[in-house]
Each structure stands twice: as C-alpha cells, then as structure tokens.
Amino acid sequence: MTTTSRARLLAASALMAFVTLAQAQYMWIDEKGIKQFSDRAPPPSIPLKNILKAPPGVLTAPPVLVPSDVAAAPAVAAPIAVKAKAAPTMADRNTDFNRRQKEKADFELKEKEERDVKLAKAEHCDALRLSKRTFESGERIGVQQKNGDRGYMTDEQRAIESAKIDKNLAGCK
C-alpha cells in the first residue's frame, strides 16, 4: 500500500467515526410551547420532561435514592438513561384540537348569553325608570277599567304602581 492510499483510508475511517455524530438530532418543547428541532442540545433551561428526542445515551438524569439506600449508595452514582416521551399521534392531536374548538365555542356561547341577559336587564331598567318619571310627573294616566271603559288612575292606584316600580328598580344599578 502506498502512503497516499493509507492516508485516504485513514481519512475515510475518521469520517466514518463521525457519521454517528452527524445523525444526532434533538427535539424539545421550548418555554413558549413550540416544538424545536436541532442538531445541538437544548438550552439548560429546558426541563428533561420537555425533551422529546435525543441521541442514544445522551439524555441522562441523576439516580433517585430511597432513604434506606442513602447509606449504601456510592459517593458517585452512575447516571440513569431516561426514555423520551413519544410524540402524540395525529389522532391525539386531532382529538385535542376538536376539544379546544368545542371549549372555545362553548365559551363564546356563554359570553353571548351573558351579554344578552345584561342587555335585556338594562332595557328593562330603562323602561322602569321611564315609568317612574311618568308616575312622578303628576300627569293623568289613562287605564282601561274592568268593564272595558277608559278611565284614569286614582292617586291610590298611582301609589301602588309607584311602589311596585320602586321595588323592581331596587334590583337595577
């Protein structure tokens, strides 16, 4: 073998040794909830539970010691490999999306109903205030009597109706 072929063989074997490092891929969920992909390790601020994929043997966590094992534990314990959580399937993602859409629709419906109730209450209160002003104005108020004739409200009827309006206005702001 010549020296150039040996050099080529040595360079090729060195490149083959680093091929596994080129395959190193990380996948994690950042602080904003966005899935990140990279050939570099995630920042130290990312908790292990948010790292979804890492090269084999890279993702490690310190061992968990039970109080009885503390005395028997060696001074330096070997790290334990942690298996990354599997990514959700398309069906899981679709189910989650549909659940969020339903919650949003329910929330919007509830808000619309609350707005409608507030609007109806405000209109009712405005009508009561108008009636109160009419009763306090001293003008004669026409009413239909039991026999069908048209008449006017007496002072006693006016006081009774005014008291009813006051009672109903107590619920208005």
Side-chain angles (χ1 to χ4, degrees):
M1 240 185 196
T2 63
T3 56
T4 56
S5 60
R6 282 187 196 160
R8 285 184 183 167
L9 182 62
L10 183 61
S13 60
L15 286 174
M16 292 301 283
F18 292 110
V19 166
T20 57
L21 293 177
Q23 296 293 329
Q25 291 291 316
Y26 291 89
M27 181 172 44
W28 71 91
I29 298 175
D30 66 6
E31 297 87 11
K32 297 176 184 173
I34 300 172
K35 194 180 285 187
Q36 300 289 329
F37 298 90
S38 178
D39 59 344
R40 296 186 181 170
S45 63
I46 303 297
L48 285 178
K49 68 179 179 81
N50 286 0
I51 300 175
L52 304 176
K53 180 182 172 192
V58 174
L59 196 58
T60 59
V64 177
L65 297 177
V66 180
S68 62
D69 295 341
V70 173
V76 177
I80 299 172
V82 176
K83 186 175 181 180
K85 186 174 105 175
T89 64
M90 185 61 81
D92 293 338
R93 291 173 55 195
N94 193 27
T95 302
D96 188 44
F97 174 77
N98 289 337
R99 178 188 52 80
R100 287 192 317 267
Q101 290 295 96
K102 183 175 180 345
E103 287 174 357
K104 180 181 177 185
D106 291 345
F107 178 76
E108 288 173 353
L109 180 64
K110 183 180 176 186
E111 288 225 335
K112 183 184 180 305
E113 288 173 352
E114 288 175 359
R115 279 193 309 266
D116 291 346
V117 166
K118 274 185 174 180
L119 182 62
K121 185 175 181 179
E123 288 175 355
H124 178 70
C125 289
D126 288 342
L128 286 173
R129 287 184 190 101
L130 180 63
S131 296
K132 180 69 174 173
R133 279 192 298 258
T134 303
F135 279 99
E136 289 176 348
S137 70
E139 293 179 21
R140 293 176 56 180
I141 299 174
V143 292
Q144 189 167 4
Q145 296 175 349
K146 291 182 183 177
N147 61 4
D149 291 340
R150 185 125 171 103
Y152 294 102
M153 196 177 274
T154 64
D155 288 339
E156 293 145 2
Q157 289 174 329
R158 184 186 291 260
I160 292 170
E161 290 298 319
S162 184
K164 286 181 186 177
I165 291 172
D166 287 341
K167 183 179 176 183
N168 288 331
L169 274 174
C172 295
K173 293 181 182 179

